[in-house]
Amino acid sequence: MLRNTKEFRVTENQTKFSQNRIQHVEKYFGLFCDTLASITRKNARLRDKGDLLSKHLMEYCEAEKANVTTRNSLIKFAENYSAIQDYRDAQINRLDTKVVRPLACYGTICKNMKSIVKTSVASHSKEWKQKQQLDKLKEKAPGDSHQIAQTELERATHDAVHYSHALEAEMEKFEKEKIIELKRTLANFVKIEMAFHARALEYYAKCAENIYAIDESQDLEEFSGRLLATGGFTRQELQGTMMSSTGGYDQTIGTGTYRSGESTFSEERDQDNRPRRQYNRNTDIMYGDLEDDDTEDDDEEANRLR
């Protein structure tokens, strides 16, 4: 069955519409893919920098000997921050698998659709040429002399109709799969981002707790004790020397001793095996036995003389 000019125009318009639709999808899906791939790469670089920060923090903690609370808190901070990078790595892998790759496949899909459109266009062009050739033969030689051209036109028309229906079916399938894929891809993107940020927030909260656990006063005491130890003095000896040189009352301020990289404040004993005053970290004041030992010795000596 031969088609008239109006039917040719309808088919031509459908073909152009299909071409424009495929180009539209190819352009913007390509932009989506490039942008999401860029986001994934930036997340990968952020993960690498996060791992590097955790590494530097651990190296710092290994070398840190004077600030115990800082060292312990930063170790936990580095572990929690490293855990965030583990979740970020999982986020990157999921984005690549469930978001970037499905969109990247549309380069090949659009290429195949263009090939189908090209075949349909070629069949329509052949049909149109056969129709023009038949019309010319009819004008020059009316009768049955154009029977061969008529047969060729019918064959071309059959092919054109077949490819036109095939293109229509493929375009409907293409459009349906495109909508489903776009919906699924963006939904996966949002779910992956939400899952990462939910877990990351949990560990960022732990990181905050680790930072606030640093005790500046205690670490400063640790540092001061270690600094004095480098000169061969304890804090008590240094303070006593300073008081004696100024003629003031020798009131001891602290008995910090450093052992095996840690500061331990405990009861030290003098030659008479009497306990010295305990150190209170919160108030920096010596509490304990406040009797004046020198006064007791003077009283005993006076009684003996009498």
Side-chain angles (χ1 to χ4, degrees):
M1 180 180 178
L2 301 180
R3 298 189 295 174
N4 55 35
T5 303
K6 182 178 180 180
E7 291 174 331
F8 273 107
R9 297 304 179 191
V10 170
T11 302
E12 184 179 1
N13 292 336
Q14 288 179 343
T15 303
K16 289 182 178 180
F17 174 79
S18 298
Q19 286 178 323
N20 293 334
R21 192 61 179 171
I22 294 170
Q23 291 174 356
H24 173 78
V25 173
E26 184 180 35
K27 175 184 176 180
Y28 285 100
F29 271 54
L31 292 175
F32 297 157
C33 183
D34 289 342
T35 304
L36 289 168
S38 178
I39 292 172
T40 304
R41 289 192 298 271
K42 289 183 181 296
N43 282 333
R45 288 195 289 270
L46 186 60
R47 173 205 58 197
D48 294 340
K49 294 299 182 182
D51 288 335
L52 187 60
L53 176 59
S54 297
K55 178 183 176 183
H56 290 334
L57 286 171
M58 293 300 292
E59 290 174 350
Y60 173 83
C61 292
E62 290 176 0
E64 178 58 60
K65 303 299 181 183
N67 302 140
V68 176
T69 68
T70 298
R71 183 180 68 244
N72 294 338
S73 296
L74 288 184
I75 289 174
K76 294 178 181 178
F77 177 90
E79 291 173 350
N80 288 324
Y81 194 67
S82 180
I84 294 173
Q85 308 319 310
D86 292 338
Y87 284 112
R88 198 185 300 277
D89 185 66
Q91 173 201 26
I92 293 165
N93 293 330
R94 290 169 183 168
L95 286 175
D96 182 63
T97 302
K98 296 185 177 182
V99 177
V100 177
R101 291 184 184 180
L103 290 177
C105 291
Y106 267 78
T108 302
I109 293 173
C110 290
K111 183 178 180 180
N112 293 336
M113 289 302 301
K114 284 182 177 181
S115 178
I116 295 174
V117 172
K118 185 177 180 180
T119 301
S120 180
V121 170
S123 65
H124 296 156
S125 297
K126 183 177 179 180
E127 181 189 13
W128 180 252
K129 289 179 181 180
Q130 290 291 339
K131 185 176 185 306
Q132 288 180 328
Q133 184 178 1
L134 179 60
D135 291 341
K136 289 179 181 180
L137 289 175
K138 286 183 177 180
E139 291 176 1
K140 292 180 180 180
D144 297 335
S145 59
H146 52 272
Q147 187 64 39
I148 297 177
Q150 180 78 18
T151 303
E152 292 294 332
L153 177 58
E154 290 177 356
R155 186 181 295 111
T157 300
H158 178 270
D159 292 341
V161 171
H162 170 74
Y163 287 119
S164 178
H165 290 165
L167 176 61
E168 183 178 349
E170 289 295 330
M171 283 301 300
E172 289 181 355
K173 179 182 177 181
F174 172 77
E175 189 71 14
K176 179 180 178 180
E177 291 180 351
K178 182 264 296 182
I179 295 172
I180 293 174
E181 190 60 52
L182 183 61
K183 178 180 178 180
R184 178 169 52 239
T185 299
L186 293 180
N188 287 335
F189 174 71
V190 173
K191 289 178 181 178
I192 292 168
E193 291 291 317
M194 289 176 63
F196 165 73
H197 287 292
R199 297 310 301 268
L201 181 61
E202 177 184 349
Y203 278 88
Y204 274 125
K206 293 181 180 180
C207 288
E209 292 176 0
N210 300 146
I211 295 301
Y212 290 126
I214 296 176
D215 190 336
E216 303 94 324
S217 300
Q218 182 177 342
D219 284 348
L220 184 59
E221 292 168 6
E222 297 278 351
F223 174 77
S224 298
R226 189 172 182 82
L227 181 63
L228 293 175
T230 59
F233 295 97
T234 65
R235 185 178 300 179
Q236 177 186 5
E237 292 172 342
L238 183 61
Q239 193 72 16
T241 302
M242 294 176 62
M243 288 295 181
S244 298
S245 64
T246 58
Y249 177 70
D250 185 8
Q251 183 180 6
T252 306
I253 309 295
T255 60
T257 59
Y258 193 87
R259 298 195 183 105
S260 301
E262 296 183 0
S263 177
T264 57
F265 292 85
S266 60
E267 291 185 352
E268 295 182 356
R269 296 179 178 271
D270 57 15
Q271 295 179 354
D272 298 330
N273 200 31
R274 287 177 296 184
R276 294 181 181 268
R277 299 165 186 141
Q278 292 182 342
Y279 185 81
N280 188 311
R281 298 186 182 182
N282 296 325
T283 58
D284 288 343
I285 299 176
M286 299 297 297
Y287 290 97
D289 185 6
L290 298 180
E291 294 181 356
D292 192 337
D293 297 336
D294 294 335
T295 302
E296 289 182 356
D297 293 340
D298 291 342
D299 291 342
E300 291 178 0
E301 182 66 18
N303 291 333
R304 186 177 63 80
L305 294 174
R306 286 198 295 268

